[in-house]
Amino acid sequence: MLGYFHFIIGCFFLLISSNSSATSVMSSESWQEEYHLNRIENPNKALSMLNNVYSSLPPSAERIFTATRIHGFVTRRGNVYTSPLKNNTTNIYDHIESLILLSMDLEDNGDYKQALQQIKKAQLKSKNLNDLDLNSLLSIKQCRSNLALGNYYLAEFYCQSAIKHLEKTKDHYMILNGRIAY
């Protein structure tokens, strides 16, 4: 059942790839090609590319998404990711970014229930922002956590929520090489 569900979700993600949009460095085909080539041949250069994008962005959904990409890049290679955010920030996007990165650390440690709690906190903080990209990113995170916990119907709901938004846009930064990058 789980394998079939993953297949269905993967198909949905592929369907979105030709219909997604947001102006971003990461959405350009040339950036994606260079990044993916460097991921294999020169991982330090690929990480530098992600860090350059991150540092060029103001607090936003796109910067949070980029932070999640950097976190994944670093931790999947066995290292610890340390966020560049300051603890005393008052920016709501910075707070949400911290919660999402904490949830990713918890996922890495197999604590999906606590990870889900951090995502729920981030969703509460984001309610008044009316940021569809952020809502999509949080829905993707909800989908992943619920899948890991075996809550397949909830996972499907959150995946569908993200897909609905991303289908409406073209060349979105959350779509890398035809797939939602999470």
Side-chain angles (χ1 to χ4, degrees):
M1 173 78 175
L2 181 59
Y4 181 69
F5 185 73
H6 280 226
F7 174 74
I8 290 171
I9 296 302
C11 289
F12 282 126
F13 290 158
L14 288 174
L15 287 173
I16 313 174
S17 65
S18 60
N19 296 339
S20 311
S21 130
T23 44
S24 165
V25 170
M26 290 191 307
S27 66
S28 81
E29 222 175 288
S30 61
W31 187 91
Q32 288 184 29
E33 287 174 13
E34 183 180 353
Y35 172 74
H36 286 287
L37 179 66
N38 282 321
R39 275 183 53 203
I40 296 164
E41 295 180 5
N42 188 350
N44 290 332
K45 172 70 173 158
L47 181 57
S48 175
M49 289 175 71
L50 287 172
N51 282 321
N52 288 341
V53 170
Y54 181 88
S55 64
S56 72
L57 296 169
S60 61
E62 185 175 7
R63 190 178 82 178
I64 294 170
F65 173 76
T66 306
T68 66
R69 299 287 298 159
I70 294 169
H71 181 282
F73 190 96
V74 170
T75 59
R76 287 187 184 113
R77 285 164 176 75
N79 298 311
V80 175
Y81 176 71
T82 306
S83 173
L85 295 174
K86 295 177 176 75
N87 288 334
N88 59 355
T89 182
T90 58
N91 186 289
I92 189 78
Y93 283 98
D94 288 347
H95 287 285
I96 293 169
E97 181 178 326
S98 294
L99 290 168
I100 290 173
L101 293 175
L102 175 58
S103 79
M104 292 177 75
D105 287 337
L106 290 164
E107 282 180 0
D108 289 346
N109 292 322
D111 193 349
Y112 295 102
K113 285 185 180 180
Q114 282 299 318
L116 188 57
Q117 291 306 314
Q118 298 307 312
I119 296 301
K120 287 179 180 179
K121 286 180 188 176
Q123 284 178 313
L124 286 173
K125 285 191 173 285
S126 73
K127 276 210 185 287
N128 294 332
L129 294 174
N130 197 27
D131 185 329
L132 294 176
D133 285 350
L134 182 57
N135 293 344
S136 293
L137 178 59
L138 290 167
S139 289
I140 291 167
K141 295 297 180 186
Q142 273 271 28
C143 176
R144 281 180 56 112
S145 292
N146 278 297
L147 268 176
L149 291 169
N151 302 328
Y152 304 122
Y153 295 110
L154 275 175
E156 181 180 14
F157 168 78
Y158 285 108
C159 285
Q160 289 296 329
S161 296
I163 289 168
K164 282 181 184 177
H165 167 63
L166 295 174
E167 280 180 329
K168 296 175 187 174
T169 55
K170 186 174 181 342
D171 299 328
H172 199 284
Y173 59 82
M174 286 188 207
I175 307 294
L176 298 175
N177 285 352
R179 298 179 61 205
I180 293 179
Y182 60 93

